[in-house]
């Protein structure tokens, strides 16, 4: 982005900068038509603008499209300036560069506003990717799609249901000593108390290996960090914080030891599309 | 007790306060990291306390909120939840509302 800003600042007059912007529009890569969705659309922009993000080697690469040449140019500018950045870099970038580009005189207030909104959508998408990286870079692809917030529910549904039903026959607790006593206990208690339509308990302890709580318990089974997704009618009418408290209450013993991190996704059947 | 007093002071000192592992510039846990990332996105000014540096506070805040995990986020003196809830609020647009009127970073 810095090089782009410098390039624009080097252009002497506003008219020339405007032309430069239109030139940029021609440099946009082709955009897949199926990505013309509401989710990819910039809100609060006079023209229609769509943006998508792709993660490669921990860096984001952008594509954009618009029905107007001017906004295409603005979008292309952002695409070029922000591609090859890590999600963190984008999330943490203040919008100063917008003023530094020196385009504000060439654009109407609504165009300026639209440009800022484009950047904001890109930051939001970068943040979503950042959080997917944080929460779900493990081998359990299901956990990743589940924690990316709800839309994954339909897609990941079949696999999770298979897992859920195989444990739901009460086979989760073997009569011989289990290698995963804590996970078993979590599943058993949540089933008893919440009669879930879907329950997924994933042990993420290995991801947190190397920080305090992982080592050092006498009955150490390494089961210290879990991702839990529950779909239950018992959550109806409860705020998120109340739902989480309910789960914490049920799992009070486990949380005393050894579990000290519980990532929770709590949905009612309606919210999970299972009503 | 002394710890409760510290907590009361903390959450009154800033519009937004987070009990976390590590510090905002260097979080020591993925969940704390995520919570800070979200708060940074909104550009609000927030106070923080590193529970790893203070085991009494680490236990104290869990008792205070009857909540067993870190991070814990307070907005305008009120406990809102952990990183999952913050993420959810952000996705639903509720966080923007909750942060209305909070001081922003200059």
């Amino acid at each position: 982005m810095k090089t782009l800003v410098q390039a624009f600042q080097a252009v002497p007059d506003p008219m020339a900068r405007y032309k430069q912007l239109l030139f940029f529009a021609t440099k946009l890569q082709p955009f897949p038509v199926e990505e013309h969705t509401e989710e990819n659309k910039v809100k609060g922009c006079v023209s229609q603008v769509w943006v998508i993000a792709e993660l490669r080697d921990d860096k984001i690469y952008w594509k954009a499209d618009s029905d107007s040449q001017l906004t295409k140019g603005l979008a292309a500018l952002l695409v070029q300036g922000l591609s090859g950045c890590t999600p963190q870099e984008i999330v943490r970038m203040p919008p100063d560069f917008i003023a530094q580009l020196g385009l504000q005189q060439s654009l109407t207030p609504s165009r300026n506003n639209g440009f800022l909104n484009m950047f904001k959508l890109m930051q939001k998408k970068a943040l979503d990717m950042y959080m997917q990286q944080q929460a779900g870079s493990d081998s359990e692809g299901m956990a990743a799609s589940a924690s990316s917030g709800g839309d994954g529910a339909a897609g990941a549904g079949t696999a999770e249901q298979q897992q859920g039903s195989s444990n739901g026959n009460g086979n989760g607790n073997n009569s011989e000593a289990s290698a995963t006593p804590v996970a078993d206990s979590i599943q058993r208690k949540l089933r008893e108390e919440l009669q879930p339509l879907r329950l997924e308990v994933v042990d993420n302890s290995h991801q947190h290996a190397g920080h305090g709580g992982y080592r050092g318990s006498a009955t150490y089974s390494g089961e210290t960090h879990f991702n839990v997704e529950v779909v239950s009618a018992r959550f109806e009418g409860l705020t998120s914080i109340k739902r989480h408290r309910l789960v914490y209450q049920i799992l009070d013993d486990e949380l005393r030891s050894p579990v000290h991190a519980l990532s929770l996704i709590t949905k009612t059947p309606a919210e999970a599309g299972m009503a | 007790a002394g710890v409760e007093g510290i907590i009361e002071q903390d959450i009154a000192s800033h519009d937004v306060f987070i009990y976390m592992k590590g510090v905002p510039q260097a979080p020591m846990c993925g969940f704390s990291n995520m919570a800070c990332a979200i708060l940074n996105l909104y550009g609000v000014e927030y106070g923080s306390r590193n529970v790893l540096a203070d085991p009494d506070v680490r236990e104290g805040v869990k008792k205070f909120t009857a909540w067993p995990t870190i991070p814990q986020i307070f907005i305008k003196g009120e406990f809102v939840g952990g990183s999952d809830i913050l993420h959810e609020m952000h996705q639903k647009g509720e966080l923007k509302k909750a942060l209305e009127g909070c001081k922003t970073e200059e």
Side-chain angles (χ1 to χ4, degrees):
Chain A
M1 183 52 83
K2 262 208 199 112
T3 38
L4 267 186
V5 170
Q6 282 169 352
F8 265 83
Q9 285 176 337
V11 176
D13 70 283
M15 196 55 206
R17 281 191 203 147
Y18 188 79
K19 285 212 174 110
Q20 180 80 341
L21 198 58
L22 293 179
F23 170 67
F24 254 90
T26 62
K27 295 179 106 193
L28 261 188
Q29 276 192 326
F31 191 85
V33 157
E34 61 268 17
E35 296 284 4
H36 281 179
T37 63
E38 274 311 301
E39 204 188 273
N40 295 333
K41 205 170 181 188
V42 176
K43 307 284 185 294
C45 188
V46 171
S47 311
Q48 296 195 93
V49 181
W50 298 271
V51 171
I52 50 174
E54 214 180 84
L55 194 65
R56 291 202 300 270
D57 296 328
D58 284 341
K59 298 207 172 63
I60 297 189
Y61 294 89
W62 301 95
K63 283 204 176 116
D65 195 12
S66 175
D67 57 1
S68 124
Q69 277 304 104
L70 175 62
T71 45
K72 246 186 170 164
L74 291 170
L77 215 158
L78 288 172
V79 163
Q80 184 145 330
L82 296 177
S83 286
C85 295
T86 63
Q88 295 96 297
E89 282 167 356
I90 296 175
V91 166
R92 290 186 184 161
M93 197 180 290
D96 304 355
F97 68 89
I98 293 183
Q100 286 165 2
L101 283 165
L103 287 166
Q104 281 166 331
Q105 307 102 302
S106 320
L107 300 174
T108 64
S110 57
R111 291 297 188 192
N112 270 307
N113 199 36
F115 189 42
L116 181 61
N117 286 334
M118 272 188 236
F119 178 59
K120 280 187 180 164
L121 179 59
M122 289 166 94
Q123 278 194 317
K124 176 183 182 302
K125 285 184 178 280
L127 181 64
D128 286 339
M129 289 208 152
Y130 182 46
M131 301 214 269
Q132 276 180 47
Q133 271 185 329
Q134 294 294 314
S137 52
D138 53 41
S139 51
E140 309 277 352
M142 292 185 288
S145 56
S147 35
S148 69
D151 310 321
T158 21
E160 288 166 0
Q161 271 159 9
Q162 282 173 357
Q163 188 186 49
S165 58
S166 69
N167 289 330
N169 298 332
N171 294 333
N173 305 322
N174 302 323
S175 47
E176 329 88 59
S178 165
T180 57
V182 177
D184 295 345
S185 161
I186 290 178
Q187 289 208 16
R188 183 175 36 88
K189 289 185 181 176
L190 291 178
R191 273 183 211 292
E192 274 170 20
E193 299 290 332
L194 300 177
Q195 292 89 45
L197 294 188
R198 178 163 76 221
L199 174 63
E200 198 190 328
V201 176
V202 178
D203 184 341
N204 251 339
S205 311
H206 61 279
Q207 272 204 308
H208 296 259
H211 90 76
Y214 187 61
R215 295 173 286 266
S217 158
T219 51
Y220 169 65
S221 64
E223 297 182 281
T224 53
H225 295 71
F226 285 91
N227 284 15
V228 172
E229 181 176 343
V230 192
V231 178
S232 164
R234 283 210 51 198
F235 292 140
E236 263 152 37
L238 297 182
T239 59
S240 278
I241 193 171
K242 290 207 171 94
R243 296 179 191 187
H244 287 214
R245 281 197 192 283
L246 179 55
V247 174
Y248 286 151
Q249 223 179 305
I250 296 171
L251 301 178
D252 191 50
D253 287 336
E254 285 75 13
L255 281 161
R256 283 175 200 283
S257 170
V259 179
H260 75 193
L262 207 46
S263 185
L264 293 180
I265 296 180
T266 52
K267 293 189 181 146
T268 62
E271 288 163 1
M274 294 172 91
Chain B
V3 170
E4 209 176 291
I6 294 176
I7 296 171
E8 305 258 359
Q9 245 185 344
D10 280 346
I11 65 185
S13 68
H14 289 79
D15 287 333
V16 181
F17 199 89
I18 177 171
Y19 286 91
M20 61 180 288
K21 294 182 179 173
V23 294
Q25 299 80 2
M28 302 270 278
C29 142
F31 301 113
S32 291
N33 196 2
M34 179 160 100
C36 286
I38 298 174
L39 292 177
N40 291 342
L41 185 57
Y42 286 84
V44 291
E45 195 189 79
Y46 58 96
S48 67
R49 190 175 285 275
N50 180 2
V51 302
L52 297 178
D54 196 329
D56 288 338
V57 167
R58 183 174 180 173
E59 287 318 298
V61 72
K62 290 178 184 176
K63 282 208 181 78
F64 186 83
T65 50
W67 189 267
T69 54
I70 301 288
Q72 299 197 5
I73 296 99
F74 291 76
I75 298 179
K76 297 174 187 163
E78 206 182 287
F79 176 56
V80 298
S83 58
D84 288 336
I85 291 185
L86 205 67
H87 180 189
E88 213 181 283
M89 287 172 75
H90 162 68
Q91 290 201 312
K92 290 183 178 166
E94 293 168 2
L95 186 53
K96 186 161 185 222
K97 204 151 175 267
L99 292 174
E100 257 163 33
C102 291
K103 188 151 182 264
T104 49
E105 295 267 334
E106 278 314 314

